[in-house]
Amino acid sequence: MKEAVDQLLAEGADLAMPISASLVVTAAWPVMKCRYGCPNYGHNRCCPPYSPAWEEMRAILGNYTTAILFRTHSITAGTPLAVSVAAGLFRRGYYKVLPFGTGPCRLCAECTPDSCPRPWETAPSMEACGVDVFATVRNAGVEVSSYAPEGSVPDCFGLILVE
Protein backbone atom coordinates (compact mmCIF):
# COMPACT_ATOMS: atom_id res chain seq x y z
CA MET A 1 0.00 0.00 0.00
CA LYS A 2 2.86 2.37 0.82
CA GLU A 3 4.26 1.83 -2.69
CA ALA A 4 0.94 2.95 -4.19
CA VAL A 5 0.81 6.08 -2.03
CA ASP A 6 4.43 6.87 -2.92
CA GLN A 7 3.69 6.38 -6.64
CA LEU A 8 0.68 8.70 -6.46
CA LEU A 9 2.80 11.39 -4.82
CA ALA A 10 5.71 10.89 -7.22
CA GLU A 11 3.47 11.11 -10.29
CA GLY A 12 1.53 14.26 -9.49
CA ALA A 13 -0.80 13.89 -6.53
CA ASP A 14 -0.12 16.35 -3.74
CA LEU A 15 -2.09 14.28 -1.24
CA ALA A 16 -2.46 10.50 -1.07
CA MET A 17 -3.64 8.57 1.95
CA PRO A 18 -5.11 5.19 2.81
CA ILE A 19 -8.58 5.49 4.34
CA SER A 20 -11.25 3.10 5.50
CA ALA A 21 -13.68 2.32 2.69
CA SER A 22 -16.45 2.92 5.23
CA LEU A 23 -15.64 6.65 5.03
CA VAL A 24 -16.82 6.79 1.40
CA VAL A 25 -20.30 8.34 1.27
CA THR A 26 -22.76 7.50 -1.53
CA ALA A 27 -25.99 9.29 -2.37
CA ALA A 28 -28.39 9.81 -5.24
CA TRP A 29 -27.78 13.55 -5.64
CA PRO A 30 -24.23 13.58 -7.15
CA VAL A 31 -25.54 11.89 -10.29
CA MET A 32 -28.14 14.67 -10.63
CA LYS A 33 -25.24 17.15 -10.76
CA CYS A 34 -23.92 15.15 -13.72
CA ARG A 35 -27.30 14.91 -15.41
CA TYR A 36 -28.10 18.59 -15.11
CA GLY A 37 -24.68 20.20 -15.12
CA CYS A 38 -22.35 18.33 -17.42
CA PRO A 39 -22.41 18.02 -21.22
CA ASN A 40 -20.86 14.53 -21.01
CA TYR A 41 -23.95 12.99 -19.41
CA GLY A 42 -25.11 10.18 -21.70
CA HIS A 43 -22.21 10.75 -24.10
CA ASN A 44 -19.24 9.25 -22.25
CA ARG A 45 -18.62 5.67 -21.07
CA CYS A 46 -17.27 6.94 -17.73
CA CYS A 47 -20.30 9.12 -17.06
CA PRO A 48 -23.88 8.33 -16.11
CA PRO A 49 -25.90 6.47 -17.20
CA TYR A 50 -22.99 4.20 -18.23
CA SER A 51 -21.14 4.43 -14.91
CA PRO A 52 -22.29 2.37 -11.91
CA ALA A 53 -25.42 3.76 -10.27
CA TRP A 54 -25.08 5.04 -6.71
CA GLU A 55 -26.85 1.95 -5.33
CA GLU A 56 -24.40 -0.29 -7.18
CA MET A 57 -21.48 1.78 -5.90
CA ARG A 58 -22.76 1.39 -2.35
CA ALA A 59 -22.88 -2.39 -2.88
CA ILE A 60 -19.36 -2.36 -4.39
CA LEU A 61 -18.01 -0.46 -1.38
CA GLY A 62 -19.35 -3.23 0.85
CA ASN A 63 -16.68 -5.52 -0.65
CA TYR A 64 -13.78 -3.34 0.52
CA THR A 65 -12.19 -2.30 3.79
CA THR A 66 -9.50 -0.01 2.38
CA ALA A 67 -9.27 2.78 -0.16
CA ILE A 68 -6.62 5.28 -1.18
CA LEU A 69 -7.85 8.86 -1.50
CA PHE A 70 -5.72 11.21 -3.55
CA ARG A 71 -5.79 14.80 -4.77
CA THR A 72 -4.46 16.45 -7.90
CA HIS A 73 -4.94 19.96 -9.20
CA SER A 74 -5.83 18.95 -12.72
CA ILE A 75 -9.08 17.31 -13.75
CA THR A 76 -7.26 15.51 -16.58
CA ALA A 77 -4.44 14.09 -14.42
CA GLY A 78 -6.45 12.06 -11.91
CA THR A 79 -7.84 9.29 -14.09
CA PRO A 80 -4.58 8.22 -15.77
CA LEU A 81 -2.92 8.32 -12.37
CA ALA A 82 -5.62 6.19 -10.72
CA VAL A 83 -5.53 3.66 -13.57
CA SER A 84 -1.73 3.42 -13.51
CA VAL A 85 -1.51 2.93 -9.74
CA ALA A 86 -4.38 0.41 -9.78
CA ALA A 87 -2.57 -1.59 -12.47
CA GLY A 88 0.53 -1.71 -10.28
CA LEU A 89 -1.51 -2.83 -7.28
CA PHE A 90 -3.13 -5.57 -9.38
CA ARG A 91 0.31 -6.84 -10.42
CA ARG A 92 1.28 -6.94 -6.73
CA GLY A 93 -1.65 -9.25 -5.93
CA TYR A 94 -4.50 -6.86 -5.13
CA TYR A 95 -6.82 -8.49 -7.66
CA LYS A 96 -9.95 -6.60 -6.51
CA VAL A 97 -8.43 -3.13 -7.01
CA LEU A 98 -10.79 -0.57 -8.63
CA PRO A 99 -9.77 2.94 -9.70
CA PHE A 100 -12.00 6.04 -9.77
CA GLY A 101 -10.58 9.08 -11.52
CA THR A 102 -11.40 12.74 -12.02
CA GLY A 103 -13.84 13.99 -14.61
CA PRO A 104 -14.97 12.37 -17.84
CA CYS A 105 -12.77 10.20 -20.03
CA ARG A 106 -10.89 12.21 -22.66
CA LEU A 107 -9.00 9.45 -24.47
CA CYS A 108 -10.92 9.66 -27.75
CA ALA A 109 -12.01 12.71 -29.73
CA GLU A 110 -15.51 11.25 -29.82
CA CYS A 111 -16.66 8.71 -27.25
CA THR A 112 -18.52 5.59 -28.37
CA PRO A 113 -19.84 4.38 -24.99
CA ASP A 114 -21.15 1.05 -26.27
CA SER A 115 -17.92 0.09 -28.04
CA CYS A 116 -15.04 1.68 -26.12
CA PRO A 117 -11.74 0.77 -27.81
CA ARG A 118 -9.67 1.36 -24.62
CA PRO A 119 -11.71 0.50 -21.50
CA TRP A 120 -8.61 -0.60 -19.56
CA GLU A 121 -7.17 2.93 -19.80
CA THR A 122 -9.95 4.81 -18.06
CA ALA A 123 -12.22 4.82 -15.01
CA PRO A 124 -15.32 6.70 -13.91
CA SER A 125 -15.08 9.57 -11.48
CA MET A 126 -16.41 9.20 -7.96
CA GLU A 127 -19.22 11.69 -8.68
CA ALA A 128 -20.36 9.70 -11.70
CA CYS A 129 -20.91 6.72 -9.38
CA GLY A 130 -22.85 8.69 -6.79
CA VAL A 131 -20.02 9.33 -4.33
CA ASP A 132 -20.43 12.49 -2.28
CA VAL A 133 -16.82 13.60 -2.71
CA PHE A 134 -17.03 16.51 -0.25
CA ALA A 135 -18.43 14.32 2.55
CA THR A 136 -15.92 11.56 1.79
CA VAL A 137 -12.94 13.94 1.79
CA ARG A 138 -14.12 15.58 5.01
CA ASN A 139 -14.64 12.13 6.59
CA ALA A 140 -10.96 11.48 5.83
CA GLY A 141 -10.01 14.62 7.76
CA VAL A 142 -9.10 16.73 4.73
CA GLU A 143 -10.38 20.29 4.42
CA VAL A 144 -12.17 21.03 1.17
CA SER A 145 -14.32 23.91 0.00
CA SER A 146 -16.72 24.22 -2.89
CA TYR A 147 -15.55 27.81 -3.34
CA ALA A 148 -12.56 28.30 -5.59
CA PRO A 149 -11.59 31.87 -6.45
CA GLU A 150 -11.38 32.57 -10.18
CA GLY A 151 -7.97 31.65 -11.49
CA SER A 152 -7.20 29.31 -8.60
CA VAL A 153 -6.19 25.70 -9.05
CA PRO A 154 -9.09 23.33 -8.24
CA ASP A 155 -8.91 20.34 -5.92
CA CYS A 156 -9.65 17.17 -7.88
CA PHE A 157 -10.02 13.94 -5.91
CA GLY A 158 -9.66 10.35 -7.03
CA LEU A 159 -10.08 7.08 -5.20
CA ILE A 160 -8.67 3.59 -5.50
CA LEU A 161 -10.48 0.74 -3.78
CA VAL A 162 -7.99 -1.87 -2.56
CA GLU A 163 -8.54 -5.26 -0.99
Side-chain angles (χ1 to χ4, degrees):
M1 194 80 60
K2 182 181 177 339
E3 289 176 8
V5 169
D6 290 345
Q7 181 183 352
L8 285 161
L9 294 170
E11 294 183 14
D14 74 329
L15 173 113
M17 57 194 287
I19 65 169
S20 170
S22 66
L23 296 178
V24 180
V25 177
T26 56
W29 71 265
V31 176
M32 291 296 286
K33 298 281 264 184
C34 294
R35 184 180 292 169
Y36 296 104
C38 181
N40 292 298
Y41 182 87
H43 300 286
N44 193 294
R45 181 178 173 95
C46 292
C47 296
Y50 298 101
S51 57
W54 72 274
E55 300 96 338
E56 184 180 2
M57 185 63 178
R58 184 173 284 171
I60 290 166
L61 285 164
N63 293 281
Y64 293 84
T65 57
T66 306
I68 301 172
L69 179 69
F70 69 93
R71 179 180 62 204
T72 68
H73 293 287
S74 165
I75 196 165
T76 59
T79 299
L81 187 53
V83 170
S84 172
V85 171
L89 283 163
F90 180 82
R91 287 189 297 275
R92 289 194 296 280
Y94 295 93
Y95 69 93
K96 287 172 48 178
V97 65
L98 287 176
F100 296 88
T102 53
C105 178
R106 292 181 166 85
L107 291 175
C108 302
E110 186 174 329
C111 184
T112 53
D114 294 322
S115 61
C116 177
R118 299 157 60 185
W120 59 88
E121 293 182 56
T122 193
S125 68
M126 290 189 285
E127 298 93 333
C129 301
V131 173
D132 180 338
V133 175
F134 286 93
T136 299
V137 169
R138 289 175 181 145
N139 280 349
V142 177
E143 287 187 38
V144 64
S145 172
S146 61
Y147 172 73
E150 192 169 324
S152 67
V153 179
D155 289 336
C156 300
F157 290 91
L159 187 76
I160 303 170
L161 296 178
V162 185
E163 193 66 30

